[in-house]
Amino acid sequence: MSEFAIRAEKLDAGDELAGVRGKFVLDEVVYLDGNSLGALPAAVPGRVEDVVRRQWGELRIRSWDESGWWTAPERIGDRIAPLVGAAAGQIVVGDSTSVNVFKALVGAVRLAGAGRDEIVVDATTFPTDGYIAESAARMTGCTLRPVTPAEVPGVLGERTAAVLLNHVDYRTGRLHDLPSLTAAVHAAGAVAVWDLCHSAGALPVGLDEHGVDLAVGCTYKYLNGGPGSPAYLYVRRELQDRFDSPLPGWNSHAEPFGMRDSYEPAAGALRGRVGTPDILSMLALEAALDVWDGVSIEAVRAKSLALTDFFLECVAAYAPADRVESVTPEAHAERGSQVALRCDDAGDVMKELIARGVVGDFRHPDVLRFGFTPLYVGFGDVERAARVLGDVLGR
């Protein structure tokens, strides 16, 4: 047994989150694709069967009331809130990340008010966020200004209406400085919108603490909500009575069953709802969130950093130095919960890794991406993944 395998055993033995692993459906595969799709929590299939067979099959329409379907968006939002550092009553679940980015960004421009006609967007953002930002700019008569997050403070001014940023870069795993960037946006009188897709469930976010205005995120990555599980929208309490959604659906009406000709938004974060909720996916997500009972996000962050530190150390020991290069920051304050390795033939390497039971993913043109979900990934998994990578690269 290698030195690293022995260390992995000791680290797993002392892992305070080790018991959570048993709450997931896992096999012999080392699953490091959690930043694209989290593993299945074991309680979800039974809960979904109940929703389908009893709530839908027997209670039918009565389930909107008796099974709590109608209140699911805000109820599940309150389950997510502690994981992103938000008090209850500020998050609603529903729609996709893309739809919520649109709602948040147009809503942000409307909050900013007259005279502000520029949207600043992260130039390295996930493509959809960029597409939505470009469309939102055209629809609101704004100019779109793409810059890197590091450049944001230098381009803010009295014309800036809203700034859309990613908390963690999806390619490199770089963690951006949410507190200081939010403060800079506010100092310029603009509205801060954050995409939390690659941070929620992996590290503390502190939405309330840092005064974030609006935030969106998906739930199928580190929150393990399932493929295509609904996203969420955060609207800071102090802004809720002024938040003007560009998608005023009947579900966000103050009297949804009044069927009024004119629209009157509901009070609070409920005005972030749009149409009829996707109940099957939403209640699967609710069941998935049970794995967080008794788990602190601080403990998750500590393990995440330990896992990624150990992986980088193992890769340095096992893999030929001239074959891979980490593009993920070494500094803990700048690292999310993934490691991205640059490799010339990354696509073929990832295919071989998957064939050997190590599942990560490939990002064009040359990045091997490994996501570490601390609730079910152990140090033994990390050592094995690095060792197999070394074997593949050393052939």
Side-chain angles (χ1 to χ4, degrees), residues 184-206:
V185 172
H186 288 166
V191 179
V193 183
W194 284 90
D195 183 330
L196 310 178
C197 284
H198 288 272
S199 58
L203 53 92
V205 177

Side-chain angles (χ1 to χ4, degrees), residues 346-371:
D348 291 336
V349 169
M350 184 53 68
K351 289 178 183 178
E352 183 63 23
L353 286 173
I354 292 171
R356 297 190 185 201
V358 175
V359 178
D361 67 344
F362 161 65
R363 283 293 176 264
H364 186 80
D366 59 359
V367 171
L368 300 169
R369 196 175 68 154
F370 302 93

Side-chain angles (χ1 to χ4, degrees), residues 40-55 283 287:
L40 172 67
V44 170
R47 195 80 60 85
V48 170
E49 183 178 15
D50 177 71
V51 172
V52 172
R53 293 188 180 277
R54 183 181 64 84
Q55 296 180 28
L283 298 188

Side-chain angles (χ1 to χ4, degrees), residues 101-102 105 108-109 117-138 142-153 155-156 159-167 169-170 176 181 185 190-195 216:
V101 168
F102 177 75
L105 201 50
V109 173
D117 59 358
E118 183 176 83
I119 296 174
V120 175
V121 64
D122 180 352
T124 62
T125 190
F126 187 78
T128 289
D129 286 24
Y131 306 154
I132 295 292
E134 194 276 333
S135 180
R138 283 190 287 114
C142 288
T143 299
L144 188 66
R145 187 166 189 175
V147 299
T148 65
E151 295 171 322
V152 166
V155 303
L156 299 173
R159 287 186 54 197
T160 310
V163 180
L164 172 62
L165 295 167
N166 289 265
H167 198 190
D169 185 286
Y170 81 99
H176 297 302
L181 286 169
V185 172
V191 179
V193 183
W194 284 90
D195 183 330
V216 302

